[in-house]
Amino acid sequence: MHAKGKCTVVFALALLAGFLLMGACAAAQQPEGENTLSEPPRISPAEAYQKAKAGTAVLVCAYPDDETFRKMQLEGAISYKEFESRLPGLKKDQEIIFY
């Protein structure tokens, strides 16, 4: 194998090792028992109601059409369309509860 081929192999192995290390670090930083991105955290209806009532969370009806929203609206909830219009103004750490 010539020098260029060896460099390519070494670079590829270093890149692979870097990705594996990043994955291991990310897994190590994930606290035990916490949800990953694929599984959203779930809360009780009572907790959702209290957070919406206190104004610490935005309660959003996830149905995209207004008719279903009107049928399924909970006290303090906003429609998905209204949520989309508010999205640019929300803080990145704003808690959002979808139902």
Side-chain angles (χ1 to χ4, degrees):
M1 186 180 294
H2 61 289
K4 185 176 180 182
K6 287 181 183 178
C7 288
T8 302
V9 170
V10 170
F11 176 74
L13 290 174
L15 189 60
L16 178 60
F19 284 129
L20 292 174
L21 182 59
M22 285 175 26
C25 288
Q29 291 176 356
Q30 181 71 30
E32 190 174 322
E34 280 202 15
N35 296 317
T36 63
L37 290 177
S38 62
E39 179 63 31
R42 302 201 181 266
I43 62 172
S44 70
E47 186 177 355
Y49 175 75
Q50 289 302 321
K51 288 180 176 196
K53 186 176 178 180
T56 59
V58 178
L59 185 59
V60 181
C61 180
Y63 291 102
D65 62 284
D66 288 333
E67 183 180 334
T68 307
F69 168 66
R70 284 190 295 279
K71 291 178 185 176
M72 305 298 287
Q73 184 178 9
L74 299 177
E75 184 180 333
I78 62 172
S79 70
Y80 190 78
K81 286 182 182 180
E82 185 176 344
F83 167 71
E84 286 182 316
S85 71
R86 287 189 189 184
L87 196 55
L90 293 178
K91 296 179 183 176
K92 290 189 183 248
D93 63 345
Q94 173 65 58
E95 186 171 11
I96 302 165
I97 302 169
F98 290 94
Y99 72 92

